[in-house]
Amino acid sequence: MKSKTGKNTRETLTLKYGWKFRLADAPEMALPDFDDSGWETVRVPHDWAIEGPFSRENDIHVTAIIQDGQRKSLYHTGRTGGLPHAGKAWYRLKFSLPKDICSKRVRIEFDGIMSHSRVYCNGKYVDTWPYGYASFAFDLTDFIKQGDNILAVSVDNKPLASRWYPGAGIYRKVRLVIMNPVHVSLWGTCVTTKPLNEKTAQVDIKTTVENHTGKRQKVTVETTVIGPVGKKHASSSETRTILKSGVILQKIRINSPVLWSVDSPKLHTVLTTLKTGGKKTDYHETLFGIRYLKFDAGQGLLLNGEKMRFKGVCMHHDLGPLGTAVNAEALKRQLSMLKDMGCNAIRTSHNPPAPELLDLADNMGFLVIDEAFDEWRMPKCKNGYNILFDGWAKKDLLAMIRRDRNHPSVIMWSIGNEVPEQDVSSGAKTAAFLHNICKKEDPSRPTTAAFNSPDNAIKNGLAEIVDIPGWNYTPNSYAAYKAKLPGKPMYGSETGSCISTRGVYYFPAEEERNPKRKTLQVSSYDLACASWANLPDTDFRSIDENPFIMGEFTWTGFDYLGEPTPYYEEWPSRSSYFGIIDLAGIPKDRFYLYRSRWTEKETLHILPHWTWPGREGELTPVHCYSRWDTVELFVNGVSQGVRSKHHKNMVNRYRLVWSGVIYRPGELKAIAYDNDGHPVKETAVRTSGKPAGIQLTADRKEIRADGDGMAFFNVDIIDSKGTLCPGADNLVRFKINGPAEIAGLDNGNPASTEPFHADYRKAFNGSCVLYLRSLKGKKGRILVTAESAGLKKAEAVLSAR
């Protein structure tokens, strides 16, 4: 990597290609003349563990998960995904700097390294940052030289450190920033907004300036605010004499501001220019949004004066077959699906997210609860955050706030999730310590925490300390908590924990808690949940009946690697069953339940599928998730009766149920009626024949040729009439001709140990998904071919530009 420094302002170089990697550990690997020619060459972001292989021996935990209600230790397998993430490794990168580098400042920025990283430059130790989810930066000025330089990073992913798959290595972006001696600090622009009256907003801009010249400098900070459509609103100029560092506050008024909201996520830009001696020394852009938040104990959440409720999901940070290596296109695909479902909020469970997620939330219209920790001092895992808390909690919390405070999507700082300190009297002191850090650094946002032991959190004072307590899995107690904390806004910080496997149905269809079967699957009738949890219907009812509750964050939006509840001890169960959308990115039936609840879209979805050889003449219950209250069901044209939602009856309150349907091959059809009895929409599923071909459906026709552009192909096994074969498990092989590569494959089966990075994948219940990635700088036609023995092959064409 070569750099050419700019004349007057900073240069930012993303360090993506050319990294050398080895899963090993020796101190000489930091030395500049170490021979790494035999090492693997990788691109960053990089997750070393996602290629596997899967093994039950990779992450055996003998423990009792107190948060899951366990009282005796179990022999857990698959808890962190069954992937080889624990271990020590090194990354090395050669980069070249120009002759005038001696007059510059050089900073290295890491969005996240998993974990316990140590950074070296030209053989010299620079610094360390152990928390794998934190973003951080180090000054390399005293370590670099003109010409070739060697950056070396050691990683130590400890065993027994996580309750889910954490990923491994430099899994988020890395940047080299070259600046003049006088520049804006890392995360040095802080923007806050407030209304002055109905038509005017005040924008406060706090700029932290560093001066590394060794002598006092008169520094002028010129600031301009640009509106969403490029309109220049106002400017301000302030001059200050600075020796080493200084903070300059500017106040700008904006008339008739365009407000940011989830339905209209309009962003403004702050343009910051530094000048010394009349010459420009730095230029920096900061995006922000103008929005007014009010959290009221009675009314709940008001955004720009309008009451709204969280229709939220909790999200872990892995991207299924891509692992934890961040990719903006894959994140955008996830958020687009959630948006279609009606989701308007995300809780980053249980750690600071990748910056790309917040950028997308700003642009797509999501509210975000930014969560810092899953542990404080009291451990959940032997080598979890508890071993870092005393030395690093303040640093990590400040890093999260300073990095994320300008995002309008971020509305609360969560200081912890289900921490054991809820249950001890000393827990309030720790909660106050973290709360006070947040309020001092950013008084504009409330603090929160997710409590799964609410009675103790109230008794021991933790719920009183945070501005807004969140309740996990206690929907029937909201009124009681309100009576104990009458002045507090509150919400369901973790709800549901319904479990299911896409396309799998077991009979009879009945409510189940922690069901276990030899198949290692869970029924998709959406009637099963974890032992501590409840069905979505219960949360819907509790929110309806308690208008002060600000909404919910259901567990979870997508399946994720690790935590394969209820199959704690069974292998090869290696990923969760909690998702509304499976690990491959295919919606489960439950997607349409939430969609019918959270949107006004014309949702009409029936389950199960209608291909049941051998069940002819047997009872096969049918459920329907409908936007409308009244639906009639037909089997082969014969009415099975009309069902209407009854808001006093849980059975048909949010879903419609026909329990006495007899299976007969053919067509299962539902017709929805409006309040006047007129048919408004119909949907049908049909009995499929034998598998005959493959259907490839791409989500786009064109990808960016930058090495990060991605396309996603739904791959379906179909019969001769084009009907999905819901039980098909055919092995599909893929060929790519053109400037692209397979980035990953998955089928949503939480018990599959097929490698994510192969060129083949079995269909699971008729489907799988291909993740296709462009090659850097290579443009042209891409032909994707999918083949399976005995089936008609499928082809699809797209282009890289």
Side-chain angles (χ1 to χ4, degrees):
M1 188 278 297
K2 293 184 179 181
S3 165
K4 295 180 180 180
T5 59
K7 292 182 179 180
N8 293 313
T9 60
R10 66 177 61 194
E11 180 184 14
T12 301
L13 304 167
T14 300
L15 305 183
K16 184 189 304 185
Y17 297 101
W19 290 86
K20 293 290 187 176
F21 168 78
R22 187 171 182 184
L23 190 60
D25 183 41
E28 59 268 24
M29 293 176 176
L31 300 177
D33 58 354
F34 180 83
D35 182 9
D36 58 18
S37 59
W39 289 19
E40 181 183 1
T41 301
V42 300
R43 53 180 281 160
V44 166
H46 174 247
D47 180 349
W48 85 56
I50 194 62
E51 293 188 15
F54 290 100
S55 171
R56 71 188 299 274
E57 306 303 320
N58 281 333
D59 60 354
I60 291 174
H61 293 60
V62 181
T63 186
I65 305 177
I66 304 301
Q67 291 73 28
D68 290 6
Q70 297 173 7
R71 295 294 176 262
K72 294 182 179 180
S73 292
L74 301 177
Y75 200 76
H76 292 262
T77 61
R79 190 183 186 196
T80 51
L83 289 163
H85 72 276
K88 297 181 179 181
W90 282 81
Y91 292 84
R92 289 169 56 89
L93 179 71
K94 180 184 289 188
F95 62 98
S96 183
L97 294 172
K99 292 181 180 179
D100 65 345
I101 198 65
C102 59
S103 65
K104 302 289 183 176
R105 304 297 298 186
V106 178
R107 184 172 69 214
I108 188 75
E109 299 179 356
F110 295 94
D111 286 344
I113 302 176
M114 190 64 68
S115 57
H116 295 272
S117 59
R118 295 169 64 87
V119 177
Y120 300 80
C121 186
N122 295 325
K124 296 179 181 179
Y125 172 68
V126 178
D127 213 333
T128 183
W129 205 290
Y131 189 31
Y133 296 104
S135 293
F136 59 95
F138 299 140
D139 192 327
L140 294 185
T141 306
D142 295 336
F143 301 91
I144 52 89
K145 56 186 175 67
Q146 72 176 56
D148 290 341
N149 293 261
I150 294 292
L151 181 70
V153 180
S154 73
V155 181
D156 180 7
N157 241 21
K158 298 182 184 299
L160 305 177
S162 180
R163 297 191 296 130
W164 54 84
Y165 177 67
I170 308 178
Y171 72 111
R172 292 178 180 171
K173 286 185 178 180
V174 184
R175 291 171 298 278
L176 193 71
V177 184
I178 302 170
M179 302 163 289
N180 286 310
V182 178
H183 58 261
V184 178
S185 297
L186 174 72
W187 308 323
T189 305
C190 175
V191 184
T192 56
T193 64
K194 60 182 178 183
L196 294 178
N197 52 54
E198 291 183 357
K199 295 184 179 181
T200 307
Q202 180 170 301
V203 180
D204 293 347
I205 304 164
K206 185 170 64 175
T207 305
T208 303
V209 177
E210 294 182 23
N211 173 21
H212 294 273
T213 65
K215 56 185 179 181
R216 294 183 183 274
Q217 296 283 352
K218 272 192 175 182
V219 180
T220 299
V221 179
E222 296 179 352
T223 301
T224 302
V225 175
I226 304 297
V229 294
K231 176 184 177 182
K232 179 179 176 181
H233 281 296
S235 296
S236 174
S237 179
E238 297 284 340
T239 301
R240 179 85 56 83
T241 299
I242 295 174
L243 177 57
K244 292 183 178 180
S245 67
V247 178
I248 297 175
L249 176 63
Q250 295 164 290
K251 298 178 183 293
I252 293 177
R253 291 191 177 190
I254 297 178
N255 295 320
S256 302
V258 177
L259 301 184
W260 184 97
S261 70
V262 295
D263 296 320
S264 182
K266 302 296 185 180
L267 295 174
H268 292 66
T269 305
V270 169
L271 308 181
T272 303
T273 300
L274 301 190
K275 290 182 178 179
T276 56
K279 294 182 179 180
K280 184 165 67 174
T281 64
D282 198 12
Y283 175 80
H284 191 251
E285 296 186 6
T286 305
L287 292 173
F288 73 101
I290 300 175
R291 47 93 174 118
Y292 308 138
L293 288 171
K294 182 179 179 181
F295 298 91
D296 185 86
Q299 297 184 76
L301 170 63
L302 288 88
L303 176 61
N304 301 328
E306 295 186 6
K307 180 178 173 62
M308 66 174 296
R309 273 182 157 169
F310 297 130
K311 301 172 183 177
V313 300
C314 299
M315 289 284 282
H316 270 306
H317 71 303
D318 74 68
L319 293 168
L322 300 181
T324 60
V326 69
N327 178 276
E329 294 285 359
L331 277 170
K332 185 176 182 180
R333 172 179 178 250
Q334 287 190 335
L335 295 184
S336 296
M337 296 176 75
L338 293 174
K339 196 78 172 178
D340 179 52
M341 187 180 71
C343 175
N344 64 12
I346 294 167
R347 175 175 167 233
T348 67
S349 314
H350 302 290
N351 44 260
E356 288 85 348
L357 184 137
L358 298 182
D359 291 340
L360 287 165
D362 288 346
N363 281 280
M364 298 176 69
F366 286 90
L367 305 177
V368 176
I369 295 180
D370 209 343
E371 194 152 87
F373 307 119
D374 186 52
E375 284 185 12
W376 294 348
R377 290 188 181 90
M378 296 177 67
K380 298 178 184 179
C381 299
K382 178 182 177 181
N383 291 317
Y385 195 77
N386 66 91
I387 68 175
L388 300 176
F389 188 89
D390 285 327
W392 287 91
K394 183 176 181 178
K395 297 176 186 177
D396 288 326
L397 187 54
L398 286 174
M400 180 184 82
I401 294 170
R402 290 170 180 171
R403 187 195 73 173
D404 298 345
R405 60 191 171 188
N406 294 322
H407 289 280
S409 59
V410 175
I411 59 168
M412 283 191 264
W413 305 118
S414 174
I415 61 174
N417 168 68
E418 297 187 347
V419 292
E421 280 87 345
Q422 297 167 91
D423 299 321
V424 296
S425 59
S426 61
K429 184 177 180 181
T430 305
F433 164 69
L434 298 171
H435 166 84
N436 290 337
I437 292 171
C438 294
K439 301 307 287 187
K440 182 178 180 180
E441 191 65 25
D442 177 27
S444 71
R445 289 179 178 87
T447 61
T448 187
F451 298 116
N452 67 323
S453 183
D455 290 328
N456 283 338
I458 294 170
K459 181 183 73 174
N460 292 320
L462 284 79
E464 184 63 45
I465 287 169
V466 297
D467 296 314
I468 301 175
W471 311 124
N472 287 10
Y473 305 111
T474 52
N476 296 321
S477 301
Y478 290 153
Y481 302 148
K482 182 64 177 174
K484 293 179 180 180
L485 299 168
K488 291 281 190 181
M490 52 188 64
Y491 66 104
S493 44
E494 198 165 311
T495 64
S497 273
C498 189
I499 49 180
S500 62
T501 306
R502 175 188 53 81
V504 172
Y505 305 91
Y506 294 111
F507 308 99
E510 56 190 10
E511 292 189 27
E512 302 176 291
R513 287 187 178 270
N514 265 29
K516 291 196 176 186
R517 295 179 174 89
K518 292 182 179 179
T519 59
L520 303 185
Q521 307 299 347
V522 182
S523 178
S524 195
Y525 270 110
D526 300 326
L527 293 171
C529 63
S531 58
W532 64 84
N534 48 263
L535 302 186
D537 315 55
T538 302
D539 292 301
F540 295 163
R541 181 203 65 201
S542 296
I543 291 169
D544 286 343
E545 294 177 354
N546 295 284
F548 58 87
I549 288 291
M550 294 190 295
E552 65 169 318
F553 290 82
T554 190
W555 191 266
T556 53
F558 280 73
D559 278 337
Y560 55 93
L561 288 161
E563 289 194 318
T565 308
Y567 298 106
Y568 297 101
E569 300 175 277
E570 295 81 2
W571 180 257
S573 201
R574 48 72 170 157
S575 57
S576 83
Y577 299 76
F578 294 115
I580 296 171
I581 301 167
D582 73 18
L583 196 72
I586 305 173
K588 301 180 186 179
D589 291 299
R590 201 169 353 130
F591 177 94
Y592 301 97
L593 173 60
Y594 282 93
R595 196 173 187 264
S596 69
R597 160 77 175 177
W598 283 353
T599 79
E600 298 298 315
K601 296 178 181 178
E602 296 186 348
T603 301
L604 186 65
H605 177 79
I606 48 178
L607 61 138
H609 61 75
W610 211 238
T611 303
W612 297 104
R615 283 192 61 81
E616 291 81 2
E618 295 189 35
L619 283 175
T620 305
V622 175
H623 291 200
C624 179
Y625 303 145
S626 171
R627 158 75 177 80
W628 297 272
D629 285 349
T630 301
V631 176
E632 186 172 10
L633 185 72
F634 298 84
V635 175
N636 297 330
V638 178
S639 176
Q640 306 297 300
V642 176
R643 297 287 185 272
S644 295
K645 294 180 182 178
H646 299 289
H647 297 287
K648 293 184 179 181
N649 180 350
M650 279 297 289
V651 174
N652 281 319
R653 192 167 185 171
Y654 303 103
R655 66 179 88 199
L656 300 171
V657 176
W658 290 260
S659 57
V661 179
I662 301 297
Y663 172 65
R664 295 181 178 86
E667 181 186 71
L668 179 70
K669 182 169 70 174
I671 298 178
Y673 299 95
D674 64 18
N675 292 335
D676 296 321
H678 301 129
V680 287
K681 187 177 178 65
E682 67 178 57
T683 189
V685 293
R686 296 172 180 84
T687 305
S688 75
K690 293 181 180 180
I694 303 170
Q695 181 173 279
L696 272 179
T697 307
D699 70 333
R700 67 198 70 191
K701 295 181 179 179
E702 184 177 295
I703 57 176
R704 301 189 321 272
D706 61 357
D708 287 324
M710 295 193 75
F712 306 90
F713 291 80
N714 282 3
V715 184
D716 297 320
I717 307 300
I718 56 175
D719 67 9
S720 59
K721 296 181 179 179
T723 301
L724 177 72
C725 299
D729 62 356
N730 303 66
L731 180 69
V732 183
R733 295 189 178 275
F734 298 90
K735 294 179 182 179
I736 312 298
N737 290 309
E741 63 184 354
I742 296 174
L745 284 160
D746 192 37
N747 58 18
N749 181 358
S752 170
T753 56
E754 290 177 284
F756 289 130
H757 290 73
D759 61 357
Y760 63 87
R761 172 66 51 161
K762 277 189 174 182
F764 179 64
N765 294 323
S767 302
C768 62
V769 177
L770 165 67
Y771 290 52
L772 188 75
R773 183 170 54 208
S774 67
L775 300 177
K776 181 188 177 184
K778 296 185 178 181
K779 302 179 180 181
R781 181 177 182 268
I782 302 167
L783 174 64
V784 179
T785 304
E787 298 178 300
S788 183
L791 303 183
K792 183 179 179 181
K793 73 177 182 181
E795 294 182 340
V797 175
L798 67 163
S799 61
R801 294 186 179 179

